[in-house]
Amino acid sequence: VQRSYDAIVVGAGIVGLSCAWRLARTGRSVLVVDRGAPGSGASGVAAGMLAPVTEADFGEAALLELNLAGARAWPAFAEELAERSSLDPGRRASGALVVAADHDDGLELRRLGEFQRSLGLESRWLTRREARELEPGLSPRTAGAILAPGDHHVDPAATVAALATAFEHEGGELAVAAEVALETAGGRVTGVRASGTPIAAEHVIVAAGAHSGVIAGLPESARVRVRPVKGQILGLRGPGGSHPLAARLVRTLRCYVVDRGDGRVVVGATTEDRGFDERVTAEGVFRLLEAAREVLPDVDELEVVTARAGLRPGSPDNLPFVGRGALEGLVWATGHGRNGVLLAPLTGTAISALLDEEPLPAELGPCRPGRFGALDGQSLALRSATPVPAP
Ligand code: GLY
């Protein structure tokens, strides 16, 4: 570790590494610092859904546009990453089904499907027979399903490994530090203090996931409102190969199931407001298994391998914080909530553009870090240009 870098990224998750890789490719000296190994936070727990259509919710138009842009960025990103790292990020263009477990689910999902189509999204209602023709493992009690052919998944752990390798190939450095705090002087962020050692940087990008809102070293007025949103998730093992549980990403109103095609099956995820609690609970495990087996009864036969919890970085409006912060030198790339894996490539490109003084993708317009009142770089510049009236 040197004493000074062009950029330091705090956080070696999928978002931090995407930013770091892009920045290193522009020839900058870049250090990524984290309290753990790459992907040891939420990225290592995530299912890896690239699912803008089946994540779309009423009243979240800006998030939908952003998620669609995020999905558009993924194919080229995955290809380039595989080429640069010689590692497969595990993107599988599977399509997705949102399955109605019973009649009531069916009513709700038909409304959701109509909403998706009213937004011009690619989504189609399937009868029980059509759904079971596509996915023979679905329960005979299934009451139909939404088919979203464009939604799919990637392997987040594989992506993180590929990003770390590609980043190091570009000359980037990774460091683990028990404690990471931002350093400020003269009203600007000047670097970080990693386990007590000061390291200077022109830009510090905070991509510390759920911990971004409480990162040490910043005045209260310069913080962003990121809070942890707990998700419990199960790793199961099935036969894989020619006997997948489902060829597509399968979701219901209560869970999602990702069969990676190699025997690994993921069932997620709870959504809980419990602060920094990362315990796996009996209720969480029970509810996930109950929800998965009601539509995919063969889940009963699978081996349970892992039960984990991760903390999503939630924001008040479910949009991330991407852009310059209230202090010079401070940049945010956090608050991606349920969509961190989906939005990592777009965020990485945006942060690289930002440091090159280029415009950000239009879809990131509503993601200004200062939108809840804390000042960001832009409003500071406007303020200083405004004459202050005499008292
Ligand atoms: N992206 C799904 C989740 O956060 O659980």
Side-chain angles (χ1 to χ4, degrees), residues 42 209-210 227-231 256 269-272 310-314 337-338:
R227 70 177 201 291
V229 180
K230 179 177 174 181
Y256 50 78
T270 64
T271 302
E272 302 168 67
L311 300 174
R312 305 175 184 89
R338 300 179 62 85

Side-chain angles (χ1 to χ4, degrees), residues 104-121:
D104 286 353
D105 276 7
L107 294 178
E108 191 165 340
L109 290 183
R110 275 179 185 273
R111 271 202 308 277
L112 187 62
E114 277 161 23
F115 169 66
Q116 292 165 346
R117 286 186 291 283
S118 76
L119 297 170
L121 301 174

Side-chain angles (χ1 to χ4, degrees), residues 58-138:
F58 299 97
E60 294 197 320
L63 181 61
L64 172 64
E65 289 308 319
L66 179 63
N67 285 347
L68 289 169
R72 286 194 295 274
W74 253 99
F77 172 87
E79 209 171 294
E80 191 181 345
L81 182 58
E83 193 184 299
R84 297 278 172 161
S85 66
S86 304
L87 294 170
D88 177 9
R91 191 175 82 91
R92 301 289 176 261
S94 61
L97 286 183
V98 193
V99 178
D102 57 25
H103 179 73
D104 286 353
D105 276 7
L107 294 178
E108 191 165 340
L109 290 183
R110 275 179 185 273
R111 271 202 308 277
L112 187 62
E114 277 161 23
F115 169 66
Q116 292 165 346
R117 286 186 291 283
S118 76
L119 297 170
L121 301 174
E122 209 187 347
S123 137
R124 185 157 76 82
W125 181 254
L126 302 182
T127 62
R128 171 194 298 141
R129 217 182 76 201
E130 289 170 328
R132 294 189 75 222
E133 266 165 24
L134 284 186
E135 294 294 349
L138 288 177

Side-chain angles (χ1 to χ4, degrees), residues 101 234 252 254-255 267 283-296 299-300:
L234 305 175
T252 76
R254 295 164 287 281
C255 75
V267 178
E283 186 193 10
V285 173
F286 173 77
R287 293 228 180 277
L288 291 173
L289 288 176
E290 183 187 43
R293 73 196 285 265
E294 70 179 342
V295 290
L296 290 164
V299 161
D300 282 358

